[in-house]
Structures are given as C-alpha cells and as structure tokens.
Amino acid sequence: ILNVEQSPQSLHVQEGDSTNFTCSFPSSNFYALHWYRWETAKSPEALFVMTLNGDEKKKGRISATLNTKEGYSYLYIKGSQPEDSATYLCAAILYGQNFVFGPGTRLSVLP
Amino acid sequence: DGGITQSPKYLFRKEGQNVTLSCEQNLNHDAMYWYRQDPGQGLRLIYYSQIVNDFQKGDIAEGYSVSREKKESFPLTVTSAQKNPTAFYLCASSIDSRSPLHFGNGTRLTVT
C-alpha cells in the first residue's frame, strides 16, 4: 500500500503569519496529487489537483508546489486568517491505484 | 444544488447488528467511494465503484459490503464481522477515478 505522510501533524500560527506544510509520497509511478481542505463540521473540499513535476497552483492566498522526482508537495498559506483554520489533507495517486490520503495537517490560526 | 448526501449524521448500534449507511449523489458522477477515518490516521478506502453494478474492495474491506444498483446511490453495510466498526465514515464521488473527490458530510457510527 502506498504510504503518504504529512508534516507537521498540527500547527498553530498567529493571524497574519505565513505558513507551509509538507506532503510526502513515493516518487515512482506517480500519477497525481490532490490537496483538500477540511473545516470542522463540513466536508473536505478540493483545493488543487497537481500532476506535473514543477507544477505550481494558486488560489487566493493559498498555493502549492509539486516535486514528483523527490516525492513531495508543499502547501503555502500567505497571511493566515482565522478562516484558514482547518485540516489540510493530501492524497496521492499512483498508476493503477486509488487515492491514498495522508493523515492531514491540522492548522489553527489564532486571532 | 448538486451534492452528495449522507445519512444519518450519527448512528448508534449494538454489537452484533448489521447497519447500513446511506450515500446519495445528484452530481451525475460515475465513481463513488467509501472511506473510514480513525483518530490520527488518514482516510482509508473501504470500497469503491467506478460504474453502476460494479464495485471493488479497497484497503480495508473486511466486514463491510456495498451495492451499486443505481448511479446515484452507494450504500455501505457494516456487518457484525467488522471488528472495530466505531468510526467516522465518509462517502465521496467523482466524475472518474482520477478527478477531485466531492465528499458528503459523513456519518459517525458508534457500536457498543
């Protein structure tokens, strides 16, 4: 079974701080990587779908990069706001396999 | 509005009873999935279906069963054979097996 890791497990930042966290996955037979945001009492929502090495995606203050050769993706949040508080999940897909989710990074943004 | 609906939100059962969790979507998606979440772990795939009348086991299918008689519906039965059924269950759908997942709000099952 493909192993996907995320770090840190949890993170507390002050409002206005920028932050980033990591998703690691096996680099062989890579197909795609998804990032999801999961707010409390809501369902996970897709943020980014990334497939190519060197991909950079951006949505407002949130951006992500992908390195398929070394098997990692970074998610960045610029100028964190309390509404960014959520668990951020990554899911990797290898050829011939289904999504495998990491355990998530729980972000708390303190006002 | 299109979406994916899971019911009920909370479910309590006695040990030894089978229980069925509902998942309905009106997004016209072909693929549907069931995941289980336990504290400190990522979402783990129980079963998935890429098309009506077809489904495959995921990583932790033992003690579970599913059906896919209609495109819109993918119910999950937690049988008495599942050793640790208490968990949070998420249903998801997608256009195909590689597209982003759309999730329901989940069902929290407690078995005592």
Side-chain angles (χ1 to χ4, degrees):
Chain A
I1 297 175
L2 163 65
N3 189 39
V4 177
E5 298 178 348
Q6 290 187 249
S7 62
Q9 184 176 15
S10 64
L11 195 55
H12 298 262
V13 300
Q14 289 294 134
E15 182 175 355
D17 287 350
S18 294
T19 187
N20 65 86
F21 21 94
T22 307
C23 173
S24 302
F25 51 87
S27 54
S28 59
N29 295 319
F30 174 84
Y31 183 87
L33 186 94
H34 294 189
W35 279 101
Y36 294 84
R37 175 169 58 200
W38 192 358
E39 296 178 67
T40 302
K42 295 185 178 180
S43 52
E45 292 183 353
L47 285 173
F48 303 115
V49 176
M50 310 178 80
T51 57
L52 299 176
N53 185 46
D55 256 355
E56 290 188 30
K57 297 280 177 102
K58 187 175 181 180
K59 183 183 287 189
R61 294 178 291 98
I62 303 177
S63 60
T65 61
L66 179 66
N67 183 324
T68 62
K69 294 184 178 180
E70 296 182 41
Y72 64 84
S73 175
Y74 292 141
L75 189 79
Y76 300 91
I77 302 178
K78 184 178 178 181
S80 302
Q81 300 296 308
E83 58 264 31
D84 296 327
S85 297
T87 296
Y88 291 83
L89 302 173
C90 69
I93 312 169
L94 302 185
Y95 277 100
Q97 297 188 30
N98 275 293
F99 300 91
V100 176
F101 281 85
T105 293
R106 185 186 298 270
L107 173 67
S108 297
V109 182
L110 307 173
Chain B
D1 286 339
I4 184 164
T5 303
Q6 289 186 243
S7 61
K9 189 173 181 179
Y10 298 97
L11 194 52
F12 298 88
R13 280 293 182 271
K14 294 287 187 185
E15 192 174 326
Q17 294 178 331
N18 291 355
V19 59
T20 297
L21 282 59
S22 169
C23 179
E24 303 279 331
Q25 54 100 358
N26 60 3
L27 299 166
N28 201 34
H29 286 171
D30 284 318
M32 296 188 75
Y33 309 80
W34 275 104
Y35 289 92
R36 168 180 172 141
Q37 190 201 30
D38 295 283
Q41 297 194 38
L43 301 177
R44 292 185 291 166
L45 183 63
I46 304 172
Y47 266 97
Y48 65 100
S49 167
Q50 295 184 356
I51 199 166
V52 176
N53 292 321
D54 185 52
F55 49 83
Q56 284 80 41
K57 293 181 180 180
D59 301 320
I60 54 166
E62 186 177 349
Y64 299 98
S65 65
V66 293
S67 62
R68 187 87 188 274
E69 296 176 1
K70 298 186 299 182
K71 189 174 187 178
E72 303 80 22
S73 180
F74 191 41
L76 173 75
T77 297
V78 184
T79 75
S80 56
Q82 168 49 234
K83 295 178 182 176
N84 296 296
T86 294
F88 185 69
Y89 292 87
L90 271 174
C91 179
S93 69
S94 64
I95 295 171
D96 55 49
S97 60
R98 296 291 180 257
S99 296
L101 298 173
H102 295 251
F103 286 91
N105 284 326
T107 293
R108 186 168 297 281
L109 172 65
T110 302
V111 177
T112 57

